[in-house]
Amino acid sequence: MTGTGDTHHEGVVGHGRPAGAGWVVAARGELDQDTLAPLEEALVAAADRHRLVVLDVGSVTFGDSSFLNLLLRVHRLTALRIAAPGEQLGRLFALTGADTVLSLHPSVEDAVGGS
């Protein structure tokens, strides 16, 4: 990804957009080792340019351990906040203990305004 402006990846990543002091990346669909590359590219590019990155996962239907691994790596690069995790991701975060490491928020608005 050459910038964080209007870049759009078909599939798992929607449009990125500015939000407050950070950047929002929207993800959707099933996120596993076969589909993760565009999301990784978008998150790393956003982390390079912004101190706060919000990942909107409200439209994510599945995430596996490779998705969780990506989140933990990006968490080390920037202030990463996860917005709107559904039931499946909530279970994944709780079962692995990631909910004690990652910053989880019920909505994008809460994530942008949260501390």
Side-chain angles (χ1 to χ4, degrees), residues 32-97:
D32 58 32
Q33 67 181 1
D34 296 328
T35 62
L36 218 56
L39 180 59
E40 180 172 12
E41 186 178 323
L43 288 173
V44 170
D48 284 346
R49 293 169 180 79
H50 303 280
R51 291 181 13 202
L52 169 64
V53 175
V54 174
L55 177 59
D56 178 358
V57 294
S59 295
V60 172
T61 57
F62 174 80
D64 71 356
S65 61
S66 59
F67 170 64
L68 182 58
N69 231 346
L70 171 62
L71 297 182
L72 294 171
R73 287 193 315 270
V74 173
H75 169 71
R76 290 190 297 246
L77 300 175
T78 190
L80 176 65
R81 296 179 185 166
I82 311 300
E87 186 178 330
Q88 191 272 332
L89 290 183
R91 272 195 314 272
L92 174 68
F93 297 149
L95 286 171
T96 60

